[in-house]
Amino acid sequence: MIRHVVLFTWTEDATAEQKAEVAARLNTLPGTIPQIRSYAVGADAGINPGNHEFAVVADFDTVEDYLAYRDHPTHLSIIAEHIKPILASRAAVQYTV
């Protein structure tokens, strides 16, 4: 199984509405991309200073399934239209579980 973890930090001018829209849009992906085995998104709980502000954790059975998700037009559209406009920084990793 492949686990994909992405961490985002938003720009200072990102609004609460924009951040909520990112979460709402990302949460539609499991119903759109059948290769997603499990999917969780959420804002940082604010426990430790210096953390990223938002996380995505997704599991896929194979690398090919991950690549189908990565390159899916709906996913790419969400990135272009909702994430990139408010993105200050991003970190990601894919690893075998």
Side-chain angles (χ1 to χ4, degrees):
M1 184 170 65
I2 299 297
R3 179 160 291 156
H4 169 63
V5 179
V6 184
L7 304 172
F8 299 123
T9 298
W10 307 124
T11 59
E12 287 186 25
D13 61 341
T15 67
E17 292 79 17
Q18 287 173 304
K19 295 173 192 179
E21 187 68 16
V22 168
R25 297 286 179 147
L26 289 174
N27 275 318
T28 68
L29 293 179
T32 303
I33 304 172
Q35 292 86 351
I36 297 172
R37 184 174 189 187
S38 69
Y39 201 75
V41 304
D44 181 64
I47 298 166
N48 292 322
N51 283 358
H52 286 275
E53 295 178 63
F54 191 84
V56 177
V57 179
D59 290 338
F60 305 89
D61 289 330
T62 66
V63 170
E64 293 75 22
D65 287 349
Y66 163 72
L67 295 174
Y69 161 82
R70 183 194 70 184
D71 299 335
H72 193 281
T74 303
H75 179 234
L76 294 175
S77 174
I78 292 168
I79 292 168
E81 296 173 23
H82 301 283
I83 295 173
K84 283 189 177 180
I86 63 169
L87 184 63
S89 68
R90 175 187 179 274
V93 64
Q94 297 79 41
Y95 62 96
T96 303
V97 177

